[in-house]
Amino acid sequence: MTTTTQLDELLAAAGDASRTLPPPEETAKVHRCLVAEIRLRLPGAERAAAAAPVRSRDWYRHLKAIDAARDALEAVGEEPELCVGPMAAAIRVGELARRLRDLREYPAEGGARS
């Protein structure tokens, strides 16, 4: 299970990538960790949406977080592309970090982050 401190460190590493623009090989581990953490939190968000009254503010909030996370995984990819430049890799990691921040309130399911 990922602790709050580990999650903060992961999100900080993603933010640092946009400032320092490390080579994509260096952002690849952060990318993989973000994807794994998003995957662990999606079921909790889905359960929260199912438990919320349909068409309530909470229901829409949960669905928005779920849809945005799924869209990011589809658009950015679950595996980092090492052939892209540092800016593209940092942008992809930044998008995943934003989606993970949206999912932060939901409990992580199952295994630990890699």
Side-chain angles (χ1 to χ4, degrees):
M1 205 58 75
T2 304
T3 66
T4 301
T5 302
Q6 290 170 322
L7 191 59
D8 289 340
E9 290 171 358
L10 178 59
L11 293 171
D16 288 344
S18 65
R19 287 185 288 284
T20 61
L21 298 179
E25 297 80 20
E26 291 181 30
T27 60
K29 182 175 183 193
V30 175
H31 184 118
R32 286 185 188 100
C33 289
L34 288 165
V35 167
E37 197 64 36
I38 288 169
R39 286 261 169 237
L40 290 175
R41 290 173 187 275
L42 273 173
E46 291 165 344
R47 272 195 313 282
V54 175
R55 293 193 169 82
S56 67
R57 287 183 183 201
D58 283 338
W59 184 74
Y60 282 114
R61 181 175 53 86
H62 299 312
L63 290 182
K64 180 181 176 189
I66 293 165
D67 290 344
R70 287 183 181 153
D71 289 346
L73 290 175
E74 186 177 317
V76 173
E78 300 227 5
E79 272 299 309
E81 291 183 42
L82 300 179
C83 63
V84 301
M87 178 63 85
I91 289 170
R92 291 172 183 195
V93 164
E95 177 61 18
L96 291 171
R98 281 187 288 283
R99 298 309 131 222
L100 181 54
R101 278 188 204 96
D102 294 343
L103 294 173
R104 185 178 196 147
E105 70 179 273
Y106 305 104
E109 303 233 333
R113 195 181 63 173
S114 57

